[in-house]
Amino acid sequence: MTSPSAIDAASPLPAPHAVVALLPVYSQAPRSDVPLRFRASSNESAFPPPPSVIAAAQFAIARANRYPAINGTELIENLSLETGLAPSALAVADGALSLLQHVLTAFVTDGQSVVFPWRSYEAYPICVQLAGALARPIPLTPSHEHDLPAMSAAVDSATAAIILCNPNNPTGTAFGRTELVEFLEGVPGNVLVVYDEAYRDFVDQIEIPTFSATDLVAEYPNLVVLRTFSKVYSLAGLRVGYLVGSETVTSAVRRVIPPFPLTGAAIAAATAALADHGFRERMVAVVQSERARVAGALTDLGIEFVPSQGNFLWLPLGEASEALGQRLRAHGIAVRVFPGEGVRITVGEAGLAEALVGALAEG
Ligand SMILES: Cc1ncc(COP(=O)(O)O)c(C=O)c1O
């Protein structure tokens, strides 16, 4: 038998899976010594959760010696009451992003491919490659929207899943129910459609009549909808997400989700947040009005932007993006820069429109 020291001497260092070195790195706002005045870089809510939610989380923290329910059962029951969906159609975990990873783990095998819009949420290519799948990014249209016909056409016998992001992060463009149904009609039933609606609450219903993709799950059992508490419910710091899918999809994903995916504080906070309809409505109203104010400021400044349905605005500035990001950071405003492509500015915080004018108007 080989002694442990002989193994040590002969072995190279532990090698990560080959895909790890190829994964794109999630971007960050540029660093600066200038004190931060506006954190407009991560599509968070600018507002802390309401007192009822904080109190519920604190109550749960006082019982943190115990594990919470193994599958987040209480939250699933509350979501069921709130949405009218059967508990068997729901699964919860620590954020929509985790759920996406679990969905891909459950449904995608090595060598299959996943079609997704690009540019879109930067975690998509990371999750897809981690699942061992081939990434099939489909460019947005010149007007920064999902190219649904091209995405449909990209589906082939190797396609395991398609991701849709509506409204799209970072461009803020959105499509309606008719386009979604038309798309679903064209997708083979064995291809999973993962529909990420992290920003759906901020859609202006005059522009895109509100619809719930979750209503389509009964008709399209290959559709799975991802939702999050990180945006309109102001709970990004606790990470809670849920998915709605057919029983086949949901039961498979539940088997993949690790036990106790949510902390007791997260479950309690999300449950209390669901009950506070007034807070949600106020958040939607604030984001929509601040979005209009920032859009107005950009228009006055003569800076190109894409009309948005999310809590952010996309400035497709190409090579000028980094300079704009640096200039804003020098004025204490952190935004997300995608070098060579554009700048994404999260909206919601009062005074941001004026601060942008102050930073950019002086030539
Ligand atoms: C499109 C999209 N989906 C999901 C997420 C992450 O949601 P969660 O915090 O619930 O993981 C984000 C966060 O920015 C996002 O932009």
Side-chain angles (χ1 to χ4, degrees):
M1 199 180 127
T2 326
S3 73
S5 57
I7 293 175
D8 290 346
S11 305
L13 289 172
H17 191 296
V19 80
V20 172
L22 304 174
L23 294 176
V25 176
Y26 202 86
S27 64
Q28 290 181 6
R31 295 190 179 281
S32 167
D33 294 334
V34 178
L36 192 59
R37 291 164 57 220
F38 291 91
R39 183 162 142 165
S41 52
S42 293
N43 287 357
E44 302 149 326
S45 167
F47 300 87
S52 60
V53 171
I54 296 171
Q58 282 170 338
F59 188 79
I61 289 170
R63 281 143 197 83
N65 52 312
R66 302 288 181 195
Y67 282 110
I70 189 157
N71 296 320
T73 329
E74 315 96 303
L75 181 58
I76 290 182
E77 280 162 11
N78 281 299
L79 280 166
S80 170
L81 288 174
E82 179 70 22
T83 61
L85 296 158
S88 58
L90 299 160
V92 293
D94 52 337
L97 175 54
S98 283
L99 283 163
L100 171 64
Q101 192 71 64
H102 298 317
V103 167
L104 296 178
T105 304
F107 283 93
V108 179
T109 51
D110 275 359
Q112 289 188 303
S113 62
V114 177
V115 171
F116 55 89
W118 198 250
R119 177 162 281 277
S120 189
Y121 182 32
E122 55 180 326
Y124 294 155
I126 302 176
C127 289
V128 167
Q129 289 175 60
L130 264 179
L134 181 72
R136 297 280 311 274
I138 306 299
L140 301 177
T141 65
S143 50
H144 312 281
E145 294 171 283
H146 280 47
D147 189 340
L148 292 171
M151 294 183 76
S152 231
V155 173
D156 59 22
S157 57
T159 310
I162 305 170
I163 304 172
L164 302 176
C165 186
N166 193 30
N168 188 47
N169 172 13
T171 60
T173 50
F175 54 86
R177 189 178 194 277
T178 313
E179 288 96 325
L180 177 59
V181 170
E182 205 176 305
F183 181 79
L184 291 169
E185 283 295 324
V187 173
N190 65 338
V191 173
L192 192 66
V193 177
V194 187
Y195 181 85
D196 182 346
E197 53 178 18
Y199 302 99
R200 89 180 273 277
D201 304 272
F202 306 119
V203 173
D204 182 339
Q205 53 180 330
I206 296 165
E207 290 166 35
I208 313 261
T210 312
F211 67 99
S212 184
T214 57
D215 292 347
L216 294 168
V217 167
E219 206 175 328
Y220 299 96
N222 60 331
L223 172 67
V224 57
V225 180
L226 302 181
R227 310 227 45 207
T228 179
F229 282 82
S230 294
K231 311 295 174 184
V232 79
Y233 291 110
S234 288
L235 287 177
L238 286 178
R239 295 310 281 284
V240 183
Y242 66 98
L243 66 72
V244 181
S246 62
E247 213 165 314
T248 319
V249 172
T250 307
S251 61
V253 179
R254 279 193 189 179
R255 294 176 80 128
V256 171
I257 297 173
F260 312 110
L262 291 168
T263 62
I267 293 173
T271 302
L274 271 181
D276 195 336
H277 295 193
F279 179 76
R280 186 189 158 281
E281 280 161 24
R282 285 197 300 283
M283 288 303 102
V284 171
V286 166
V287 164
Q288 289 181 344
S289 74
E290 287 300 323
R291 186 170 70 198
R293 287 167 62 78
V294 172
L298 293 171
T299 306
D300 293 346
L301 288 162
I303 296 177
E304 188 188 352
F305 67 94
V306 178
S308 171
Q309 296 292 321
N311 65 343
F312 51 88
L313 284 161
W314 176 243
L315 285 47
L317 302 178
E319 296 308 326
S321 304
E322 278 176 285
L324 186 93
Q326 278 162 13
R327 179 147 180 203
L328 290 176
R329 190 61 193 84
H331 284 80
I333 306 169
V335 295
R336 188 64 62 95
V337 174
F338 297 91
E341 291 182 66
V343 171
R344 190 193 66 196
I345 304 179
T346 304
V347 301
E349 194 161 355
L352 177 61
E354 294 74 10
L356 289 169
V357 171
L360 300 176
E362 55 198 46

